[in-house]
Amino acid sequence: MIKTILTNPNPVLRKTSQAVSNFEEKKVQETIQDLKETLRASKEGLGLAAPQIGVNLRIFALDVDDALSIFINPKITHFSSKTKLYDEGCLSVPGVWGKVKRSVKVVMKYYDEKGKKHKIKAKGLIAQAFQHEIDHLDGILFIDKMENI
Ligand code: QAP
Ligand code: CO
């Protein structure tokens, strides 16, 4: 189902999300479907995390180059010391864009929607998006980190 995207301020966006323990659980599979449908419907959206649709589970979706992927229990295992100020926005903070300091490269472990384990390296926009979406799972919004320049 297409869900309403929660906007700041909403306490659900500030909670620490729980790790998925059972991938077969109905709530988990429903959330995955809802993230896909809601992100596709948003058109301008690049990423969407479960708390943004009212579910405090550690799941997010990314839609890059017309490929929508699901990331479950993501954990960044390496942040490059090289950082950059990236332009960033968020569907939960509509109309606001600003600069956020992010690592240029990351290594991230996660599970896909079938429960298969992955470890991937990312740089640039994808690395930025991973960091932004994992922040959502920890109750952090990009405006908390935005620099005044
Ligand atoms: C996070 O953000 C992100 O304010 C995903 O009016 C952002 O999809 C990762 C959006 C930038 C990397 C780079 C925000 C659309 C979408 C708005 C989004 C808006 C329309 C933000
Ligand atoms: Co966001």
Side-chain angles (χ1 to χ4, degrees), residues 22-80:
N22 179 4
F23 291 79
E24 272 109 79
E25 210 179 304
K26 196 169 158 202
K27 179 73 182 164
V28 171
Q29 290 304 320
E30 258 173 23
T31 301
I32 290 169
Q33 283 313 120
D34 292 347
L35 279 171
K36 288 181 179 179
E37 288 181 37
T38 308
L39 183 54
R40 278 201 193 98
S42 84
K43 296 226 191 289
E44 292 178 292
L46 167 75
L48 191 64
Q52 294 179 275
I53 57 166
V55 179
N56 284 114
L57 282 174
R58 300 189 79 83
I59 309 174
F60 70 80
L62 272 197
D63 190 354
V64 238
D65 303 326
D66 280 315
L68 210 161
S69 308
I70 293 289
F71 301 85
I72 301 171
N73 297 348
K75 180 158 174 47
I76 293 175
T77 57
H78 177 78
F79 291 88
S80 65

